[in-house]
């Protein structure tokens, strides 16, 4: 199969974006797929959640963005077989200013992916919670956009801006970009609010909403502090099982 590049994005913070990038990637790898996670978020939470200490790295995605290194040069293996990561660093916070005069600054990640030596079935890009140059790079490189939406107040707030950005990137930079789906996260079946938001999202976006819903789960919150994806921290937990279901749902789309 051709490599599928999934950008995980939502400019609203705290929606389970990085949790999704890490745990979807590890779940796909558990199912025998070769997966690369590119951490484009300057907070580097995906990297630290996989047991990497960003401030101790000498090579990371910042150097790729500046053109000093290739993606091949910075890729690290994780504790999940078949799952690799291109780690981030807080150095990335200043990259937008440093790239002001770069003639192809929106396409740096896309061009880096095209030069990769190892072959991956899936590349997952964890975009920062903003719509700046890093997210634009992620979506210009992606073939699909996955949007986590948390089941809390103001869940749909800001989706309009993200979808406008999606449309502009599709029109001007990446005509191949499609929507993989909207993923309901932090779902609490005991609250009416969670059910109302799920209903509203399905009403607005219909079949673009994943059948899989990610529940609120303490194991999902605990796993990053141990530097592990939830499938290694506690594979029997609801969080791990639901991300495995999400991975299956995405893989089944390839067969249609």
């Amino acid at each position: 199969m051709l490599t599928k590049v999934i950008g995980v994005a939502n400019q609203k913070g705290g929606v389970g974006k990085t949790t999704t990038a890490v745990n979807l990637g590890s779940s796909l790898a558990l199912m025998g797929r070769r997966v690369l996670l590119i951490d484009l978020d300057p907070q580097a939470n995906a990297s630290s959640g996989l047991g990497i200490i960003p401030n101790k790295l000498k090579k990371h995605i910042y150097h790729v963005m500046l053109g000093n290194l290739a993606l091949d040069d910075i890729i690290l293996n994780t504790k999940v077989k078949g799952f690799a990561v291109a780690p981030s660093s807080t150095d990335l916070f200043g990259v937008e200013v440093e790239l002001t005069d770069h003639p192809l600054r929106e396409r740096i990640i896309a061009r880096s992916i095209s030069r990769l030596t190892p072959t991956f079935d899936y590349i997952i890009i964890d975009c920062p919670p903003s719509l700046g140059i890093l997210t634009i790079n992620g979506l210009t490189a992606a073939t699909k956009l996955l949007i986590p939406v948390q089941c809390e107040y103001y869940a749909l707030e800001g989706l309009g801006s993200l979808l406008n950005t999606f449309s502009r990137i599709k029109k001007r930079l990446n005509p191949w970009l499609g929507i993989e789906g909207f993923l309901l996260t932090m779902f609490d079946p005991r609250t009416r609010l969670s059910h109302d938001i799920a209903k509203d999202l399905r009403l607005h976006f219909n079949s673009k909403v994943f059948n899989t819903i990610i529940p609120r789960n303490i194991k999902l919150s605990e796993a990053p502090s141990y530097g592990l994806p939830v499938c290694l921290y506690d594979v029997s937990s609801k969080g791990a099982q639901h991300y495995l279901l999400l991975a299956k749902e995405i893989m089944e789309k390839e067969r249609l």
Side-chain angles (χ1 to χ4, degrees):
M1 63 179 267
L2 292 172
T3 301
K4 186 171 191 175
V5 185
I6 301 174
V8 182
N10 190 328
Q11 80 268 29
K12 194 171 183 300
V15 301
K17 178 184 59 63
T18 296
T19 298
T20 294
V22 167
N23 291 301
L24 172 58
S26 56
S27 296
L28 287 166
L30 275 186
M31 293 179 183
R33 300 300 185 265
R34 294 157 299 175
V35 184
L36 172 65
L37 172 61
I38 298 176
D39 188 356
L40 266 190
D41 191 336
Q43 295 174 90
N45 290 335
S47 303
S48 59
L50 288 167
I52 294 161
I53 303 172
N55 62 10
K56 291 192 175 180
L57 292 174
K58 293 184 179 177
K59 300 185 290 186
H60 40 69
I61 199 70
Y62 171 78
H63 300 112
V64 175
M65 290 297 296
L66 291 188
N68 297 330
L69 292 172
L71 267 179
D72 282 1
D73 299 324
I74 69 163
I75 291 174
L76 301 172
N77 290 320
T78 73
K79 293 169 186 172
V80 179
K81 184 181 178 183
F83 186 30
V85 61
S88 185
S89 160
T90 53
D91 290 348
L92 211 53
F93 276 115
V95 81
E96 189 144 358
V97 174
E98 294 180 71
L99 293 174
T100 300
D101 298 323
H102 194 292
L104 294 168
R105 66 186 198 139
E106 297 92 353
R107 299 187 184 276
I108 294 169
I109 294 299
R111 287 157 68 91
S112 298
I113 287 173
S114 71
R115 295 168 182 157
L116 267 176
T117 303
T119 306
F120 294 98
D121 300 308
Y122 291 92
I123 295 175
I124 296 172
I125 303 175
D126 186 25
C127 299
S130 66
L131 297 179
I133 192 62
L134 292 168
T135 295
I136 290 170
N137 255 272
L139 299 188
T140 301
T143 52
K144 294 288 185 178
L145 168 62
L146 190 158
I147 305 168
V149 181
Q150 88 282 28
C151 295
E152 295 180 355
Y153 284 112
Y154 309 120
L156 305 183
E157 189 179 81
L159 280 186
S161 297
L162 177 60
L163 293 173
N164 285 337
T165 300
F166 163 82
S167 297
R168 287 198 300 271
I169 289 173
K170 186 174 176 69
K171 184 177 180 181
R172 299 176 187 174
L173 294 166
N174 183 5
W176 301 277
L177 182 62
I179 292 180
E180 183 73 10
F182 295 83
L183 177 67
L184 286 155
T185 63
M186 305 179 191
F187 184 85
D188 185 343
R190 299 167 299 176
T191 68
R192 181 176 175 178
L193 177 63
S194 282
H195 291 281
D196 286 348
I197 288 169
K199 184 179 175 182
D200 285 350
L201 199 67
R202 294 195 191 281
L203 192 67
H204 278 88
F205 300 108
N206 200 359
S207 61
K208 286 294 183 186
V209 182
F210 286 105
N211 293 322
T212 304
I213 293 175
I214 307 301
R216 277 199 174 278
N217 180 246
I218 189 67
K219 301 296 183 181
L220 281 174
S221 303
E222 290 174 353
S225 65
Y226 291 88
L228 295 171
V230 73
C231 65
L232 290 187
Y233 180 63
D234 186 351
V235 73
S236 65
S237 67
K238 279 189 176 180
Q241 291 301 310
H242 282 253
Y243 273 111
L244 286 166
L245 287 173
L246 176 64
K248 286 179 184 174
E249 191 173 345
I250 286 174
M251 287 166 59
E252 281 166 8
K253 285 187 179 186
E254 314 304 318
R255 301 188 187 107
L256 298 177

